[in-house]
C-alpha cells in the first residue's frame, strides 16, 4: 500500500481555469448537507474530473452540460401587444388642438 496520493495537487492556475469554466457556464447550484456546510456540486464534479485526467476546459464544460444541462438564459423582455390604455381600460389620451 502506497502512502502517496494518486490524485494530482491542484495549482492556483488549475483552480483559476476551473473557476473560469464554472463562470462561463453560469453555474452556481448548491446543496446543503447534514452538517450545514454548503458544497458547490458543479465545482466538486470539475475537480474530480480534473483529478481523473480531464484537463481541457472544453471537455469540462461539456461534462457540466451533460450532468446539469445548459444554463437557462435570462427571459427576454415582454413587449405588450396592446398599449397600456387598452390593457387598463383607460380612455386614449387626447391631443391638444392647436
Amino acid at each position: 500500500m502506497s502512502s502517496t496520493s494518486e490524485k494530482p495537487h491542484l495549482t492556483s492556475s488549475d483552480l483559476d481555469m476551473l473557476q473560469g469554466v464554472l463562470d462561463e457556464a453560469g453555474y452556481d447550484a448548491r446543496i446543503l448537507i447534514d452538517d450545514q456546510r454548503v458544497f458547490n456540486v458543479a465545482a466538486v464534479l470539475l475537480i474530480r474530473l480534473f483529478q481523473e485526467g480531464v484537463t481541457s476546459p472544453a471537455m469540462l464544460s461539456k461534462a457540466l452540460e451533460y450532468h446539469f444541462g445548459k444554463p437557462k438564459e435570462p427571459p427576454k423582455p415582454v413587449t405588450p401587444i396592446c398599449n397600456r390604455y387598452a390593457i387598463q381600460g383607460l380612455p386614449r389620451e387626447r391631443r391638444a388642438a392647436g
Side-chain angles (χ1 to χ4, degrees):
M1 192 164 152
S2 173
S3 63
T4 61
S5 173
E6 294 181 17
K7 294 181 180 180
H9 295 283
L10 297 173
T11 64
S12 62
S13 63
D14 295 336
L15 292 173
D16 288 343
M17 185 271 297
L18 294 172
Q19 185 63 53
V21 171
L22 289 169
D23 291 344
E24 187 175 315
Y27 195 79
D28 190 27
R30 299 182 187 274
I31 59 170
L32 191 60
I33 61 172
D34 294 338
D35 63 354
Q36 301 301 309
R37 289 184 296 167
V38 178
F39 285 102
N40 186 322
V41 179
V44 171
L45 172 68
L46 290 184
I47 290 170
R48 189 193 68 186
L49 290 172
F50 187 86
Q51 289 176 330
E52 291 174 358
V54 181
T55 58
S56 163
M59 293 302 294
L60 292 168
S61 292
K62 287 184 183 206
L64 282 177
E65 184 178 327
Y66 174 79
H67 286 279
F68 305 110
K70 288 189 177 223
K72 294 181 181 178
E73 294 181 21
K76 294 180 181 178
V78 177
T79 304
I81 296 172
C82 301
N83 66 29
R84 77 171 237 227
Y85 298 103
I87 293 170
Q88 295 175 340
L90 300 173
R92 290 184 159 248
E93 290 181 355
R94 294 186 181 179
R95 292 185 183 178

